[in-house]
Amino acid sequence: MTEKSFPGELGILPLRNDIFFPNALLQLTVGRPRSVNLLKRLEAGEIQLGIVAQRDPREEDPGLDDLFRVGTRAKVISMMPTATDRYQLLVKGLERFELKSLSEKNGHLTGEVEQLETQGGESDRSRELAEDLRKRALEYVDLRQDLPSRAKGVLGGLSDPDRLADFIAAHLELDLERRQEVLEALDLTQRLEIVLALLEEACQELQITSKTTRNIESERSRHQREQFLRSKMKAIREELGEGEEDSDQIDALESRLLAKDPSEAVRKMAAREFRRLRSMPSSSAEYGVIRNYLEWLADMPWNQLSEDRLDLSQAEEILDRDHYGLEKPKKRLLQFLAVQQLKKELQGPILCLTGPPGVGKSSLAKAMAEAMGRNFARIALGGVRDEAEIRGHRRTYVGAFPGRIAKAMKQAGTMNPLILLDEVDKLSNDFRGDPASALLEVLDPEQNQEFADHYLDVPLDLSRVLFVATVNSTSPLAPALKDRLEILEVSSYTHQDKEHIAQGHLIPRQLSQHGLDSEDLELLEGTLARLIDHYTREAGVRQLDRELASLCREAAIARVNETGPLRVEPDHLNDLLGPRKFHSELPEPHALPGLALGLAWTQVGGEILHVEVTDMPGTGKLKLTGRLGDVMKESGEAALSYLRANAIKLGLTEDAQENLLEKRDLHIHFPAGATPKDGPSAGVAMYSAILSLLRSTPLPADLAMTGEISLRGRILPVGGIREKVLAAHRAGIPRVLLPRRNEKDLVEVPEAVRSQLTIHLVDALDEVTELIFAQAQPNSLDGETRSQSDSSKPSERIRT
């Protein structure tokens, strides 16, 4: 078949996965029916061949839009049929053409085409690019070990830049779009630049690949050498009668893991890691990492459960043995055990014990675990600021370990322990993440069935764990975290509670810790009460425990010196423990006007809040000091505004036009200036102190008060009533003024405390005014709460 002049119509042969260039040889197999019909006409010399690449090689019957528009006219060198109705075709590329239209004639594709000529011709620039291309191509041949050596000779014989660019592009390993880009580049200079850039990229990739291959081969050679030496060592050990220690240890580790009947996900992960471990030399750094990971998997208590003790009376006995009071959390645990008897598959609740330090939150959680017969683990979260402390580090990190939750499960040894999350409100966060947010999954019963520890990388079922969190205050908790917790308040102890705890728990424990018997130390009548009043002032019993420890040390000296036993009377405390540390908060009976006693709530329990007011020449300004927050300052301004607006009714002026305190400044101060103070509950105390100063009349020395005020003189409810009332009782203050809307909160105050206090309930500042300036002490009501119908007795008084 002879080469003919360029026709206007060609038989089109679609080409898959390749681009055909001019002057290139291409061998291909033809089998599609339309293509076979085309070959028959080619063999008869009825039409010439044009080859165009398909855009999508999966298209069986491509149309015009499925083909690239630029292709190559081809000359058939040879055509041979095969036994499978296919043809082996060898063709040579001639010149480029552009496909204008496509149709089907005589059972094959026929296209109207237009010949494309190379533009630009040879120039200094093209010859320079061609020489650079040739040099770079020779480097490429050196990097390609699979190319024949004669390729360099072929490159050297190509002097035409046009043919050189097509030849190199045809032999580069490029994707379809880039090869087609070279074919469509008609400008010679542009085509040379494109091929040179592609060749540069290919050379760089080959250099990187070559370097990587050399490194791999070097590493493989080293491993082969090590494997050979280990084989020799194994043979030597066998000759010496030594066992395969590493293999035996791995088998024992695998048996220990499978004995715990882990889930299918754990089995699959462990099987994969054991295969890697057995195929790895023990001297490898990765060997230790995998071995440590498998040790953790084997130590986790997969499907290991303890049996709950469901005897309610026995559980109640254990709780009462170790802790006095704390009725709410004890009752909640007994409820859980009762429901557990009725429904075995009960998810553990998420309890949160909130209360001041030293009231026994952490020790109560441990007693709860004993009462239920569950294993116990404690996680101290105070100061934790790294999210990985909860979820664990990924194994890609050096020195990675599981998080504290997984460690607690391992420590407990069962999948249903009681885990104490201690000091959750002391969590912090920084650039390493927010551990409080990581706890959201841990403490959500809907999510924690498949808790994801980054190190273990397998689901960890926490749904049967009974989580107990402790906080001093719930205010620092994020709303999402707080929503997952069942809040149980553990309140302050009364004086009677502390005496009972000291006699039943603290003193026996301290005697045991100091090696003493009950006869070595005796606290005579009244000594323990004075110790509590004069040497401690706290919501819990930690300071009391320390003071009792000091007495035990004195008793130990007496026993060693054989001068004992030590019998302590109330008057001896000054010699044994030093001067008394706390005094009554009551002001002097004939104190100056402008002094009031308020009540405050803190994270460590209730406190007495002193309010001092004085005036001085000025311009009517109000100054508040004592490290106060904005809300507290606004309460002081509201109190002064009410006094000015009601000056005539309060007897402070007789002229409605007079500007009260026009030529005086007021200064309200709260002592203990280093302690931050905020909140609206000091409004009543500030109003009373200012009014006392303006009337030049001291306030009752035995009355403490709390409540928020409004500009209309209403008394609004406040929080922390139980803690505030207990603080007044600890300080020896017999009367307390509270908002009437807080009456419901008095049920939280122990009966023993209420029986020793007179509680006044008020709705308005008018009632406060009449109460604090009453000439006679109000009468009390025994055993009941009563509203006063007589306008001369506006406040409601409770004495129970």
Side-chain angles (χ1 to χ4, degrees):
M1 195 179 302
T2 59
E3 183 179 346
K4 301 178 181 180
S5 60
F6 194 94
E9 184 179 78
L10 293 175
I12 301 301
L13 180 66
L15 182 63
R16 304 186 193 190
N17 296 319
D18 201 0
I19 302 295
F20 185 43
F21 286 91
N23 300 305
L25 292 176
L26 178 65
Q27 185 173 359
L28 65 159
T29 301
V30 178
R32 285 188 280 194
R34 292 193 300 188
S35 300
V36 171
N37 292 337
L38 174 60
L39 293 184
K40 291 178 180 178
R41 293 197 67 199
L42 288 172
E43 190 174 20
E46 298 175 357
I47 197 168
Q48 295 188 40
L49 177 63
I51 298 178
V52 182
Q54 289 184 207
R55 297 180 184 274
D56 186 355
R58 296 170 295 183
E59 185 65 45
E60 288 296 329
D61 295 313
L64 181 63
D65 292 336
D66 299 319
L67 301 175
F68 290 106
R69 296 304 176 90
V70 177
T72 302
R73 187 166 74 95
K75 173 184 177 182
V76 178
I77 304 298
S78 65
M79 181 167 48
M80 296 178 59
T82 66
T84 58
D85 296 330
R86 295 174 179 269
Y87 285 84
Q88 291 289 337
L89 192 63
L90 179 64
V91 295
K92 178 183 178 182
L94 298 178
E95 63 269 300
R96 292 170 170 82
F97 66 82
E98 182 179 2
L99 182 63
K100 295 295 186 178
S101 64
L102 186 69
S103 61
E104 186 171 348
K105 297 179 181 179
N106 301 315
H108 65 83
L109 295 176
T110 303
E112 295 292 333
V113 300
E114 177 182 339
Q115 183 178 0
L116 299 176
E117 299 286 347
T118 300
Q119 301 174 2
E122 289 194 34
S123 62
D124 292 341
R125 174 61 178 165
S126 64
R127 283 190 289 273
E128 180 181 351
L129 287 172
E131 188 60 31
D132 290 342
L133 188 60
R134 194 191 317 277
K135 292 178 181 178
R136 199 61 173 159
L138 292 174
E139 296 178 13
Y140 179 79
V141 172
D142 290 335
L143 292 171
R144 285 281 300 272
Q145 302 295 327
D146 57 328
L147 293 179
S149 57
R150 58 186 179 85
K152 289 187 176 181
V154 175
L155 286 170
L158 289 175
S159 58
D160 183 6
D162 189 358
R163 294 189 61 184
L164 179 64
D166 287 345
F167 175 78
I168 293 174
H171 289 84
L172 285 177
E173 294 183 351
L174 302 173
D175 57 53
L176 202 65
E177 284 74 13
R178 287 187 170 186
R179 294 167 73 87
Q180 182 67 25
E181 181 184 1
V182 177
L183 184 65
E184 294 179 359
L186 300 181
D187 183 82
L188 178 59
T189 301
Q190 180 185 5
R191 191 190 311 164
L192 289 168
E193 289 175 345
I194 292 174
V195 176
L196 182 59
L198 293 173
L199 188 59
E200 289 278 359
E201 184 178 336
C203 287
Q204 291 179 3
E205 290 180 358
L206 284 174
Q207 288 171 350
I208 295 173
T209 303
S210 177
K211 182 178 180 181
T212 304
T213 302
R214 289 196 301 271
N215 291 340
I216 292 174
E217 290 177 351
S218 174
E219 187 69 15
R220 183 185 299 124
S221 175
R222 184 177 67 84
H223 280 301
Q224 289 175 347
R225 185 172 63 255
E226 289 181 356
Q227 194 65 31
F228 172 73
L229 293 174
R230 293 188 183 282
S231 299
K232 293 188 67 175
M233 289 178 62
K234 180 180 178 182
I236 293 171
R237 285 179 177 174
E238 289 178 353
E239 289 293 329
L240 294 174
E242 297 179 359
E244 299 179 2
E245 183 179 351
D246 288 343
S247 178
D248 291 344
Q249 289 180 354
I250 293 174
D251 292 341
L253 183 60
E254 186 173 20
S255 300
R256 181 154 59 94
L257 173 60
L258 296 178
K260 294 188 176 180
D261 190 25
S263 65
E264 187 62 27
V266 177
R267 288 175 180 269
K268 288 182 178 179
M269 176 67 75
R272 187 186 71 181
E273 296 301 322
F274 274 117
R275 284 195 300 270
R276 293 180 60 198
L277 190 66
R278 288 190 171 97
S279 63
M280 188 177 297
S282 59
S283 61
S284 170
E286 187 71 10
Y287 182 92
V289 174
I290 299 176
R291 177 69 177 269
N292 191 51
Y293 172 72
L294 290 172
E295 290 278 1
W296 269 100
L297 284 186
D299 289 338
M300 294 300 294
W302 309 110
N303 287 328
Q304 306 295 305
L305 299 173
S306 61
E307 185 176 354
D308 283 344
R309 182 188 292 120
L310 301 179
D311 187 340
L312 298 186
S313 58
Q314 186 178 4
E316 186 175 7
E317 180 182 347
I318 293 174
L319 292 174
D320 291 337
R321 179 198 68 195
D322 293 336
H323 291 82
Y324 178 77
L326 309 181
E327 300 303 331
K328 281 189 177 181
K330 289 179 182 178
K331 182 179 179 181
R332 181 63 184 87
L333 179 63
L334 295 177
Q335 291 172 350
F336 172 74
L337 292 178
V339 178
Q340 188 84 342
Q341 287 190 21
L342 304 177
K343 185 178 180 181
K344 300 298 182 184
E345 299 299 324
L346 180 65
Q347 290 183 336
I350 314 296
L351 305 180
C352 179
L353 304 179
T354 175
V359 294
K361 300 185 295 295
S362 301
S363 60
L364 176 62
K366 191 171 183 178
M368 292 168 70
E370 182 184 353
M372 297 177 64
R374 291 195 177 192
N375 295 349
F376 175 79
R378 173 179 174 270
I379 302 176
L381 296 176
V384 172
R385 61 181 61 200
D386 188 354
E387 178 260 351
E389 290 282 344
I390 305 298
R391 290 188 176 275
H393 300 269
R394 299 191 184 277
R395 279 188 285 156
T396 52
Y397 291 97
V398 176
F401 276 99
R404 297 195 180 200
I405 301 297
K407 289 180 181 178
M409 297 293 287
K410 172 188 172 183
Q411 175 190 344
T414 60
M415 295 299 289
N416 62 336
L418 187 149
I419 294 181
L420 172 63
L421 303 175
D422 211 5
E423 307 290 358
V424 176
D425 55 333
K426 306 301 189 302
L427 284 171
S428 183
N429 61 75
D430 60 8
F431 64 93
R432 288 167 291 190
D434 184 3
S437 299
L439 281 178
L440 296 179
E441 181 185 3
V442 176
L443 300 180
D444 192 341
E446 301 300 325
Q447 301 180 35
N448 63 10
Q449 293 181 359
E450 294 187 349
F451 172 68
D453 184 275
H454 291 160
Y455 181 84
L456 297 180
D457 203 21
V458 290
L460 188 61
D461 185 6
L462 302 178
S463 61
R464 288 169 289 190
V465 178
L466 176 57
F467 286 102
V468 178
T470 68
V471 297
N472 294 131
S473 172
T474 58
S475 56
L477 300 180
L481 179 58
K482 187 176 179 180
D483 182 62
R484 286 162 167 78
L485 302 174
E486 182 179 344
I487 306 296
L488 297 176
E489 292 189 7
V490 182
S491 302
S492 306
Y493 291 124
T494 65
H495 187 285
Q496 290 76 11
D497 292 339
K498 292 179 181 179
E499 286 195 17
H500 193 285
I501 293 171
Q503 294 285 4
H505 300 279
L506 302 184
I507 294 176
R509 186 181 67 190
Q510 288 295 344
L511 290 173
S512 175
Q513 290 179 356
H514 289 81
L516 300 174
D517 298 327
S518 56
E519 295 81 11
D520 294 325
L521 175 64
E522 181 181 356
L523 301 183
L524 300 181
E525 184 177 356
T527 303
L528 184 58
R530 182 174 294 187
L531 176 65
I532 294 172
D533 289 337
H534 292 184
Y535 291 87
T536 67
R537 183 157 296 171
E538 56 180 340
V541 290
R542 285 205 179 112
Q543 182 61 32
L544 176 59
D545 195 32
R546 285 190 284 266
E547 299 296 342
L548 290 172
S550 297
L551 293 179
C552 287
R553 290 192 292 271
E554 294 289 344
I557 294 176
R559 178 172 174 176
V560 172
N561 293 335
E562 298 183 355
T563 60
L566 180 63
R567 290 182 173 84
V568 184
E569 297 181 2
D571 294 338
H572 295 164
L573 291 177
N574 189 63
D575 298 327
L576 295 173
L577 300 178
R580 61 184 294 182
K581 299 178 181 179
F582 298 97
H583 295 77
S584 173
E585 299 288 351
L586 288 172
E588 295 297 328
H590 302 289
L592 297 174
L595 303 180
L597 291 178
L599 295 171
W601 178 93
T602 70
Q603 291 188 5
V604 295
E607 295 287 346
I608 299 298
L609 192 67
H610 292 271
V611 184
E612 300 177 350
V613 181
T614 188
D615 65 338
M616 62 207 77
T619 58
K621 295 180 180 179
L622 174 64
K623 182 178 182 181
L624 297 101
T625 56
R627 201 175 177 191
L628 310 182
D630 291 339
V631 176
M632 206 164 187
K633 292 178 180 178
E634 291 167 1
S635 296
E637 293 171 356
L640 182 58
S641 296
Y642 178 84
L643 285 165
R644 282 176 165 169
N646 297 273
I648 295 179
K649 182 174 68 172
L650 294 171
L652 302 178
T653 181
E654 297 179 356
D655 185 359
Q657 302 301 319
E658 180 183 350
N659 185 356
L660 185 66
L661 297 174
E662 179 181 8
K663 297 181 180 180
R664 309 291 292 174
D665 285 346
L666 278 186
H667 183 174
I668 303 177
H669 178 66
F670 291 80
T675 304
K677 310 172 189 70
D678 201 4
S681 62
V684 170
M686 286 191 277
Y687 164 81
S688 302
I690 297 173
L691 184 58
S692 168
L693 178 72
L694 297 180
R695 284 192 171 187
S696 300
T697 305
L699 296 177
D702 60 347
L703 177 66
M705 57 194 74
T706 185
E708 181 181 358
I709 62 173
S710 72
L711 287 177
R712 301 300 179 186
R714 297 173 56 222
I715 307 296
L716 306 179
V718 294
I721 292 299
R722 185 183 192 277
E723 304 298 329
K724 292 176 180 178
V725 172
L726 291 179
H729 179 259
R730 282 199 304 270
I733 300 174
R735 294 198 296 153
V736 179
L737 184 149
L738 302 175
R740 180 172 280 108
R741 289 167 62 182
N742 281 121
E743 181 181 3
K744 57 180 174 48
D745 300 311
L746 290 175
V747 297
E748 302 291 335
V749 180
E751 175 66 26
V753 173
R754 281 185 291 157
S755 65
Q756 300 179 30
L757 294 177
T758 298
I759 300 175
H760 303 274
L761 302 176
V762 293
D763 278 323
L765 287 177
D766 291 343
E767 301 175 39
V768 175
T769 304
E770 294 193 22
L771 174 66
I772 61 179
F773 294 112
Q775 295 298 321
Q777 293 295 333
N779 297 322
S780 62
L781 301 175
D782 293 332
E784 62 178 354
T785 302
R786 185 183 67 188
S787 298
Q788 304 299 319
S789 58
D790 187 352
S791 60
S792 65
K793 300 176 182 178
S795 65
E796 185 172 326
R797 294 159 292 175
I798 301 176
R799 181 65 182 262
T800 59

